[in-house]
Amino acid sequence: GVAKFILALYVSVFIMFLIHLLIVSLNGINPITYLKKVSKPLMLAFTSRSSLGTLPVTIEALNDELKIELGTASFVASLGANMGMNGCAGIYPALMAITIANMAGVDKDISFYVMLLVVITISSLGIAGLPGTATMAVSVVVSGVGLGAYFPLAGGILAIDPILDMGRTMINVNGATTTAITVGNSLGKLDKEAFAKENVVTNEEKTA
């Protein structure tokens, strides 16, 4: 069961990653080029399991590589490291709540899913980007949908949390960078000319 949960989480992370790439492409940036530019913060997030620890590298990539104005990059990335995290505050609590409900034999009707969506949205507004804080998010969500008494059933999954936390943190940081691109583009703080010019120079250097 734990192995299936790990698979389900990483499949969810992959789907969310594709959605992020779609949003990036809608903002006029090639997804492949984007991945090359943000590879450092994504790899650091995966290995460190800390959105806050990755924050300086994330801001540097947004400003130097993606040509987003420093103030916008700093503001959006800082918010993204503390709220609205796709992995730790979204995917993980949702999967845990549904898993615990299945283990406890609780019926899951439309009202259950609506309540789950509301509780996850509210709880995602204050999750610190540090290793282990996703467990607090899970406890809040599980209690919010009336499954608090069954929380001990999650012990087997919590025991292997570091394996799950790597993927969660990476998608958290990717969500923050995607949001920064969207905000920067909508506010005119994304210098597409400088971004395109740098890519042309890089390609010419590779050719040479």
Side-chain angles (χ1 to χ4, degrees):
V2 171
K4 291 180 179 179
F5 187 92
I6 294 173
L7 178 62
L9 184 130
Y10 275 93
V11 168
S12 301
V13 166
F14 179 72
I15 293 172
M16 197 68 227
F17 200 85
L18 293 180
I19 294 173
H20 288 167
L21 293 182
L22 175 61
I23 295 173
V24 167
S25 64
L26 291 176
N27 281 283
I29 294 180
N30 186 294
I32 304 300
T33 304
Y34 163 78
L35 289 176
K36 293 177 181 178
K37 300 294 186 182
V38 298
S39 59
K40 289 182 179 179
L42 292 185
M43 287 190 292
L44 180 58
F46 188 83
T47 54
S48 69
R49 299 166 42 219
S50 173
S51 298
L52 285 176
T54 309
L55 185 57
V57 182
T58 303
I59 295 173
E60 182 180 5
L62 290 171
N63 182 233
D64 295 344
E65 302 291 340
L66 293 169
K67 306 304 178 184
I68 299 174
E69 189 264 332
L70 182 58
T72 302
S74 300
F75 181 73
V76 177
S78 297
L79 283 181
N82 291 282
M83 62 186 294
M85 293 184 241
N86 296 158
C88 292
I91 295 171
Y92 186 53
L95 286 178
M96 284 288 275
I98 293 173
T99 300
I100 291 174
N102 287 333
M103 294 171 70
V106 176
D107 292 331
K108 301 179 295 300
D109 53 15
I110 186 63
S111 62
F112 174 86
Y113 290 109
V114 171
M115 179 60 69
L116 183 61
L117 179 62
V118 171
V119 173
I120 286 176
T121 302
I122 295 174
S123 65
S124 69
L125 299 179
I127 302 297
L130 297 170
T133 53
T135 303
M136 299 301 296
V138 168
S139 64
V140 170
V141 170
V142 169
S143 298
V145 295
L147 298 174
Y150 302 106
F151 185 73
L153 294 176
I157 298 173
L158 294 177
I160 47 90
D161 187 66
I163 298 174
L164 305 170
D165 200 19
M166 294 187 292
R168 293 195 315 249
T169 305
M170 184 190 69
I171 202 66
N172 290 342
V173 172
N174 198 60
T177 56
T178 302
T179 302
I181 289 173
T182 303
V183 173
N185 189 38
S186 63
L187 296 179
K189 301 296 184 179
L190 173 59
D191 194 342
K192 291 185 177 180
E193 290 185 4
F195 180 75
K197 188 179 297 183
E198 181 179 287
N199 288 329
V200 170
V201 172
T202 302
N203 291 332
E204 288 178 350
E205 289 177 349
K206 288 182 178 179
T207 304

